[in-house]
Amino acid sequence: TDRIDKTLEDYARPSVAVDVAVLTYSGGALQVLVVEHRRRGLALPGTFLPEGELLTDAAQRALRTKAGLVGTQFHQLAMFDD
């Protein structure tokens, strides 16, 4: 599980993180799931990956621990870097 008191120094360098954009169309508008971030207001649910964890597993963990979503099926649409 994610510990709230972790800092960037707790992760290997370079660090890999995942943010999950859950999109839906409702009421004539595209909507995205956001969660409260402890320092920045609203954010996409996301997490850092410990060494050896798969992106899919980290994404499922972020949805479970940050947004309370379980059993969600998803597909990687894009990867962004730089």
Side-chain angles (χ1 to χ4, degrees), residues 16-54:
V16 177
V18 62
D19 292 299
V20 184
V22 177
L23 304 173
T24 188
Y25 188 79
S26 178
L30 183 63
Q31 299 180 358
V32 63
L33 172 71
V34 292
V35 296
E36 285 286 335
H37 187 278
R38 68 177 190 255
R39 292 184 297 194
R40 294 182 298 213
L42 298 177
L44 296 173
T47 189
F48 284 99
L49 282 71
E51 190 172 334
E53 185 175 30
L54 298 175

Side-chain angles (χ1 to χ4, degrees), residues 4-15:
I4 290 180
D5 58 341
K6 282 189 178 182
T7 67
L8 290 178
E9 288 76 30
D10 292 322
Y11 299 95
R13 296 286 186 248
S15 296

Side-chain angles (χ1 to χ4, degrees), residues 17 19 21 76-82:
D19 292 299
Q76 181 174 322
L77 299 177
M79 183 184 325
F80 304 98
D81 62 10
D82 203 20

